[in-house]
Structure formats: structure tokens, C-alpha cells
């Protein structure tokens, strides 16, 4: 069951261009994004083919690199893949694709073994991989590295292997302005970097692995680069997107006024930490029988409700009853962050509140990562694969990214190998009357901050029709004058993408008149017993020139 929406766009491309005036590069497989999905795609690409990996910033700057908790997979003899699948489906609240869940959870042990073969060093206990438990999981099945820096260790190993084993080129600080399409097929991308400006990269096959859109919100765990660029460029190219209202909020983000937000891993509660309010009251048992190990959507709403009850800006994580040695060994990086603010993780109450964390909705893909556009694959957080449904189970994100990164790399390689080299530019030409403008003509930072605050207030953990409608009107107002401009810098292009993705999220959230998973409507608080419908959205844009 699904609903089909369309959203009008003012133009196909963000900038004007002409193929005769821009440098050209050619590759077999173009991978847009250097996180866990992009790197796994590169490792799966046929080594006889040429591939280019694009990263918006430095290759070490990604949500994948910052991932703390771990990766889920059944490695305990007392556990079973069917349990992992059941937990995933239960968390997804009637919107998971059961075949996709079965495929990915079944593949998890092999995916973990692959990472070990790449040189990733996971934490051990008595000679075996150490396993922990997180919210929504019925068993201990989360492996981790460096205590609480799993993503950093996985990415270190994968980046090293890509650089030493493959022939892939990595273009850092390269922003993808738009995908290039010709006769309905993706043929590469228009990119920019500070060293050579705009460049056409013509590709036989393209893989989108750009991550999420957490920077739409004032409170978020995401790095500055997570502005929904992949969702936006895919949408402008004509790809079908799905369930864009499904933004997951992580329950526990370190909240100190004036300090940058830092994720406090789900694993902290998995090891036994309690959530208490300003009065020291442990409140989670009032909201769910699983208490602190309830799924993230339940914990996030409970924290929000308790903050409202106590009229406080945060609640607190309490680890004081846990063994100090366990805390120090298991969470060294979180402890170091807390120490910068004069907090001892094992002794002090740690102030936390929810923040935007993971975009569940995205580009619709099949089991090989194929999108609705020929020549375009996608993997990871930019996608809607059917694994997460309406609420992502903890530590399933790295698993999904690795699974579909590999699948997309293999399938894109096969398709690219069947296309002969021709080194010809397609007759694509931008046709945009918009005026190029300098960044100083608009206060982009003010618009961006206003957007983030608006989305947090009106489209955050609690939503209703009035708030969503008001937010949509405001975003459309901003978009009307921002989208008319032709910017010459990343800040401008990123803002245009953020406004587009905000519109997609808001129209989808208005359409879903129920509460399901991460999407909570205070005016429709019930979750119907029947499975949830998908909300698809596609672009209504001018014919391509």
C-alpha cells in the first residue's frame, strides 16, 4: 500500500553550464560519497575497471567515521538470525520489507568476517568477539571497536584497503552539484572543487552514497556536511524517494549550552546506564516495560515528555551504579568528550536530550541498490531499502550500508563492463535564466539557522498538522527567493538542497496522518494495527533540454 506525491521544482539543475566550457573526466564507475557504503562499493568494484570516489569534505569526515555503538550480527550460538530479523521488524512498526530484512540479517556474519579480513580490529572478550546489547535487541549481538569508536576503526581499515588494493581515485573536497541525465539515464555528475572549479564526470554507472540530512535540525548528531545533498540531487534527476518524513532522533545527545552536540551511544544504556530526570527519578519504566532498552522512538518521546513535565532542557544519564573499570574500558571516547566539560562519566550525571540522527527515508532501491533511474545505484543512509521500516533498530545502519554498498558495487561493475569506452560528452546543456550571485548578497547562515530551528520546533519529535503546515509555508517562502538564485559556492548549493529536502519531509509528514515509529503526530497519536503505507514522492520539473 502506498501513496504517490509529486513536488514541483523550478529547474532541473542548480547551475547553468555548457559542455564546451567545462573540463571533462571519464570513469567506469562513479561513487558519490566516501563513507562506509561508498568505500564498500569501491572494494566490490571490478579491479579491471576505473572508479572515482567523491567526498564533500575530507575522507575521514562522515557519519560512518563517527559511529560509536557498533554493527549488529548474530555471532552468539544462543542467538539466531530469525531473532535479529524479528527484532528489526518489531522496531520497524509494520513498514519493513521482510525479504530485505531476512537477506541483510542473514548476511551479517559474513559482512563482519569481511571487515575482519580488511584489517578491522574489533574488541575481544576471553578470546572471542565482545558482544553488547542495545535498545530493541533481544540478545547481545553488537560488535564494537576501540570501546566506543567502531565507525572510526572500520573506516580506517576500509580506507586503507581502498588506497592500497584498488585503483580507485579519491577526490576530496569535491561537491556534487547535480547528477547528469540523458534520455532518462544517469550518465555521471557535475561536480565542483576549489582547485579546478566545475567538472563533468561522465560515468557508465553511478553509485550514490552520500549519507543523511541531520543538519536540517538545530539539535543533531550529524557533521556539517550532512545537508541532504544526495536526496536532493537524486530527486532533481527524477529518482523516486520514499517515506521522507521518517527522520530518526537519537535519544541521548550530550547537551551543554554553548558546546557542540556529541552522541552518547546506545551502548551506554545497553551496558546498564539509567535515565533520570532533574529530580533523580528513573522515569523510563513509566513509559515502556523495556525501560532504557526500549526502541529509540519510544525513548526519544519519553525523554521529551519528561523534560516537559519537569520544565528542564535535558534529562540525565546515570552510570554511577556501574563498575568504574567497565565504564573506562568500554567508553573511552565518550569519557574524553565529557571530561572536556568537567564531567566524569563514572561519577557525574550526564545531561542529554534527543537530536536528529538518521534519515530512514530516501531513494528507493532494490536488493542490488538499483534506483528508479537506469545507470544510478544507491546505498546507505541516502536510501530507503525496506530494512528499517518506520524506525531503525540500533546498529543496523552500518550493516545496511555495507550490504548494499557491496551489492551496488558488484552490480554497477557488471553493467559498466558491458558498455564500451567512447569518451564522448552527451549533448546536455543547462538552460537557466537565474542570475549568479555572490554569497554576500544573501545571509545564507541566517537562513540556514532559521531553517534548522523551524524544523526542530515544527517537524521534530512531536508533530501536528498546524505546525507542519506553518513550517511548509515558511520553507516554501524561503525557497521561492533562494531557488531563483544561481550560487557560485557550496554554501549556496547546500542551502538550496536543504530547503528542497525540508519540503520533501514536510509534505510527507503532512500526508502521514498516523503515528508510526519515528513519526509521531500528536493530532493522530494512534498506530493502526494494519501495516503502514509507503509515501512515495517524485519531482514535477520542466522537460530536460
Amino acid at each position: 500500500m502506498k501513496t504517490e506525491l509529486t513536488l514541483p521544482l523550478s529547474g532541473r539543475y542548480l547551475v547553468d553550464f555548457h559542455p564546451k566550457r567545462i573540463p571533462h573526466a571519464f570513469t567506469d564507475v562513479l561513487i558519490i560519497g566516501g563513507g562506509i557504503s561508498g568505500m564498500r562499493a569501491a572494494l566490490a568494484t571490478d579491479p579491471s575497471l576505473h572508479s572515482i570516489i567523491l567526498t564533500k569534505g575530507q575522507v575521514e569526515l562522515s557519519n560512518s567515521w563517527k559511529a560509536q555503538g557498533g554493527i549488529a550480527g548474530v555471532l552468539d550460538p544462543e542467538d539466531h538470525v530469525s531473532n535479529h530479523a524479528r527484532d528489526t521488524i518489531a522496531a520497524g512498526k509494520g513498514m519493513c520489507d521482510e525479504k530485505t530484512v531476512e537477506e541483510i540479517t542473514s548476511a551479517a556474519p559474513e559482512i563482519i568476517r569481511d571487515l575482519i579480513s580488511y584489517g578491522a580490529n574489533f574488541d575481544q572478550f576471553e578470546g572471542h568477539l565482545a558482544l553488547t546489547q542495545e535498545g530493541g535487541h533481544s540478545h547481545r549481538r553488537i560488535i564494537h571497536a576501540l570501546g566506543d569508536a567502531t565507525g572510526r576503526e572500520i573506516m580506517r581499515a576500509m580506507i586503507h584497503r581502498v588506497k592500497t588494493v584498488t585503483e580507485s581515485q579519491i577526490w576530496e573536497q569535491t561537491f556534487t552539484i547535480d547528477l547528469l541525465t540523458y534520455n532518462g539515464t544517469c550518465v555521471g555528475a557535475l561536480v565542483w572543487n576549489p582547485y579546478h572549479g566545475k567538472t563533468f564526470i561522465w560515468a557508465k554507472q553511478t553509485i550514490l552514497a552520500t549519507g543523511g540530512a541531520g543538519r536540517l535540525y538545530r539539535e543533531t548528531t550529524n557533521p556539517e556536511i550532512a545537508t541532504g545533498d544526495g536526496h536532493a540531487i537524486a530527486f532533481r534527476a527524477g529518482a523516486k524517494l520514499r517515506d521522507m518524513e521518517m527522520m530518526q532522533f537519537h535519544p541521548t545527545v550530550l547537551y551543554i549550552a554553548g558546546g557542540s552536540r556529541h552522541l552518547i551511544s546506545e551502548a551506554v544504556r545497553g551496558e546498564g546506564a539509567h535515565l533520570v530526570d532533574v529530580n533523580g527519578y528513573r522515569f523510563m519504566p513509566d513509559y515502556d516495560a523495556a525501560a532504557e532498552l526500549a526502541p529509540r522512538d519510544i525513548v526519544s518521546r519519553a525523554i521529551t515528555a519528561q523534560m516537559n513535565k519537569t520544565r528542564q532542557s535535558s534529562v540525565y544519564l546515570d552510570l554511577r551504579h556501574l563498575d568504574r573499570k567497565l565504564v573506562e574500558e568500554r567508553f573511552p571516547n565518550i569519557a574524553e568528550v565529557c571530561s572536556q566539560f568537567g564531567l566524569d562519566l563514572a561519577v557525574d550525571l550526564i545531561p542529554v536530550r534527543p537530536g536528529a540522527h538518521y534519515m530512514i527515508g530516501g531513494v528507493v532501491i532494490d536488493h542490488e541498490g538499483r534506483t528508479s533511474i537506469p545507470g544510478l545505484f544507491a546505498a546507505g543512509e541516502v536510501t530507503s531499502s525496506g530494512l528499517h521500516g518506520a524506525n531503525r533498530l540500533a546498529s543496523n545502519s552500518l550493516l545496511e550500508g555495507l550490504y548494499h554498498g557491496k551489492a551496488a558495487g558488484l552490480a554497477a561493475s557488471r553493467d559498466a563492463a558491458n558498455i564500451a569506452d567512447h569518451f564522448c560528452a552527451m549533448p546536455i546543456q543547462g538552460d537557466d535564466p537565474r542570475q549568479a550571485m555572490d554569497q554576500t548578497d544573501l545571509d545564507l547562515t541566517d537562513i540556514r539557522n532559521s531553517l534548522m530551528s523551524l524544523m526542530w520546533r515544527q517537524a521534530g519529535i512531536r508533530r501536528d498538522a498546524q505546525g507542519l503546515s506553518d513550517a511548509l509555508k515558511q520553507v516554501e517562502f524561503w525557497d521561492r527567493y533562494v531557488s531563483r538564485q544561481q550560487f557560485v559556492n557550496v554554501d549556496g548549493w547546500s542551502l538550496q538542497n536543504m530547503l528542497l529536502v525540508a519540503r520533501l519531509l514536510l509534505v510527507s509528514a503532512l500526508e502521514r496522518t498516523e503515528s508510526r515509529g519515528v513519526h509521531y503526530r500528536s493530532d493522530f497519536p494512534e498506530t493502526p494495527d494494519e501495516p503502514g503505507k509507503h509515501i512515495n514522492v517524485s519531482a514535477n520539473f520542466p522537460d530536460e533540454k
Side-chain angles (χ1 to χ4, degrees), residues 139 141 156 158 173 189 298 359 393 451 455 518:
H139 292 73
R141 65 170 70 100
R156 178 204 62 77
M158 293 182 70
Q173 294 183 316
I298 294 173
M359 189 62 165
L393 184 65
L451 172 65
M455 293 296 288
V518 299

Side-chain angles (χ1 to χ4, degrees), residues 1-5 93-95 242-243 245-246 390 508 510-514 516 530-536:
M1 189 167 60
K2 58 188 176 181
T3 296
E4 301 285 347
L5 302 177
K93 302 294 174 63
M95 287 186 62
R242 182 171 67 191
D243 301 333
E245 73 283 5
M246 296 297 183
S508 300
L510 277 166
E511 180 67 25
R512 187 174 295 283
T513 52
E514 63 173 358
R516 191 176 292 274
E530 63 268 18
K533 66 180 180 181
H534 290 293
I535 297 175
N536 295 334

Side-chain angles (χ1 to χ4, degrees), residues 274-322:
H274 296 159
L275 281 164
V276 300
D277 64 19
V278 68
N279 301 311
Y281 176 65
R282 185 186 177 195
F283 58 87
M284 274 309 303
D286 296 346
Y287 294 91
D288 193 273
E292 284 82 6
L293 291 182
R296 289 177 175 179
D297 59 321
I298 294 173
V299 180
S300 293
R301 288 200 297 274
I303 291 174
T304 302
Q306 201 68 17
M307 289 192 303
N308 290 337
K309 283 183 181 180
T310 57
R311 298 189 177 184
Q312 297 292 312
S313 59
S314 70
V315 296
Y316 300 87
L317 273 170
D318 186 358
L319 289 76
R320 294 175 298 180
H321 57 285
L322 301 180

Side-chain angles (χ1 to χ4, degrees), residues 42-120:
L43 290 172
T45 301
D46 188 326
S48 68
L49 300 177
H50 182 264
S51 60
I52 295 175
I53 304 168
L54 307 179
T55 68
K56 185 177 178 179
Q58 299 297 322
V59 73
E60 293 85 4
L61 181 62
S62 67
N63 272 333
S64 300
W65 185 276
K66 294 178 66 176
Q68 293 179 358
I71 178 170
V74 173
L75 300 171
D76 186 340
E78 296 184 3
D79 196 4
H80 194 274
V81 169
S82 61
N83 297 327
H84 189 182
R86 184 180 63 247
D87 294 343
T88 299
I89 291 169
K93 302 294 174 63
M95 287 186 62
C96 295
D97 181 88
E98 294 191 9
K99 183 177 180 181
T100 298
V101 172
E102 181 181 352
E103 288 176 351
I104 296 178
T105 54
S106 296
E110 180 183 356
I111 288 171
I112 292 168
R113 288 192 289 270
D114 286 344
L115 293 175
I116 294 171
S117 73
Y118 297 156

Side-chain angles (χ1 to χ4, degrees), residues 86-261:
R86 184 180 63 247
D87 294 343
T88 299
I89 291 169
K93 302 294 174 63
M95 287 186 62
C96 295
D97 181 88
E98 294 191 9
K99 183 177 180 181
T100 298
V101 172
E102 181 181 352
E103 288 176 351
I104 296 178
T105 54
S106 296
E110 180 183 356
I111 288 171
I112 292 168
R113 288 192 289 270
D114 286 344
L115 293 175
I116 294 171
S117 73
Y118 297 156
N121 297 307
F122 295 104
D123 296 336
Q124 305 258 333
F125 178 73
E126 297 181 349
H128 300 282
L129 288 173
L131 301 176
T132 191
Q133 189 171 357
E134 296 180 352
H137 288 274
S138 58
H139 292 73
R140 297 177 74 87
R141 65 170 70 100
I142 315 300
I143 65 165
H144 46 83
L146 305 176
D148 54 358
T150 308
R152 187 171 73 193
E153 173 60 15
I154 292 174
M155 291 304 298
R156 178 204 62 77
M158 293 182 70
I159 292 170
H160 176 74
R161 189 170 180 87
V162 167
K163 288 181 176 179
T164 57
V165 175
T166 76
E167 297 297 323
S168 300
Q169 293 183 3
I170 300 176
W171 292 19
E172 294 185 303
Q173 294 183 316
T174 301
F175 183 84
T176 302
I177 301 173
D178 266 308
L179 296 171
L180 298 172
T181 52
Y182 184 68
N183 290 337
T185 296
C186 182
V187 291
L190 170 62
V191 307
W192 178 92
N193 75 32
Y195 304 108
H196 54 68
K198 296 175 187 173
T199 301
F200 279 128
I201 303 180
W202 301 99
K204 297 175 183 177
Q205 303 294 321
T206 300
I207 301 173
L208 195 62
T210 49
R215 280 287 161 176
L216 284 177
Y217 290 87
R218 187 188 70 209
E219 303 294 338
T220 181
T221 64
N222 288 193
E224 289 286 341
I225 60 172
T227 53
D229 304 306
H231 295 85
I233 63 176
F235 189 76
R236 284 195 297 272
K240 181 174 290 187
L241 274 60
R242 182 171 67 191
D243 301 333
M244 289 295 290
E245 73 283 5
M246 296 297 183
M247 169 66 78
Q248 185 178 64
F249 297 86
H250 197 286
T252 52
V253 180
L254 181 65
Y255 183 75
I256 297 176
S260 59
R261 305 297 184 249

Side-chain angles (χ1 to χ4, degrees), residues 264-433:
I264 304 295
S265 170
E266 192 104 16
V268 174
R269 285 177 284 123
E271 294 293 349
H274 296 159
L275 281 164
V276 300
D277 64 19
V278 68
N279 301 311
Y281 176 65
R282 185 186 177 195
F283 58 87
M284 274 309 303
D286 296 346
Y287 294 91
D288 193 273
E292 284 82 6
L293 291 182
R296 289 177 175 179
D297 59 321
I298 294 173
V299 180
S300 293
R301 288 200 297 274
I303 291 174
T304 302
Q306 201 68 17
M307 289 192 303
N308 290 337
K309 283 183 181 180
T310 57
R311 298 189 177 184
Q312 297 292 312
S313 59
S314 70
V315 296
Y316 300 87
L317 273 170
D318 186 358
L319 289 76
R320 294 175 298 180
H321 57 285
L322 301 180
D323 180 72
R324 185 181 184 95
K325 184 179 179 182
L326 168 68
V327 173
E328 291 174 348
E329 292 180 353
R330 185 68 180 83
F331 307 113
N333 293 283
I334 296 174
E336 182 180 354
V337 168
C338 289
S339 69
Q340 296 171 10
F341 298 96
L343 296 173
D344 185 330
L345 190 62
V347 174
D348 297 311
L349 294 175
I350 309 302
V352 294
R353 65 180 293 171
H357 183 56
Y358 189 89
M359 189 62 165
I360 295 174
V363 182
V364 181
I365 60 170
D366 68 7
H367 68 285
E368 289 188 314
R370 296 180 188 273
T371 73
S372 58
I373 301 177
L376 179 66
F377 295 78
E381 191 175 353
V382 74
T383 71
S384 174
S385 70
L387 175 65
H388 307 309
N391 180 41
R392 178 175 69 85
L393 184 65
S395 290
N396 269 355
S397 55
L398 296 182
L399 177 63
E400 179 195 38
L402 289 162
Y403 180 88
H404 281 121
K406 178 181 179 180
L410 291 172
S413 290
R414 290 196 301 269
D415 290 359
N418 291 325
I419 300 175
D421 290 338
H422 51 85
F423 306 112
C424 293
M426 306 298 177
I428 301 173
Q429 181 175 341
D431 183 14
D432 197 331

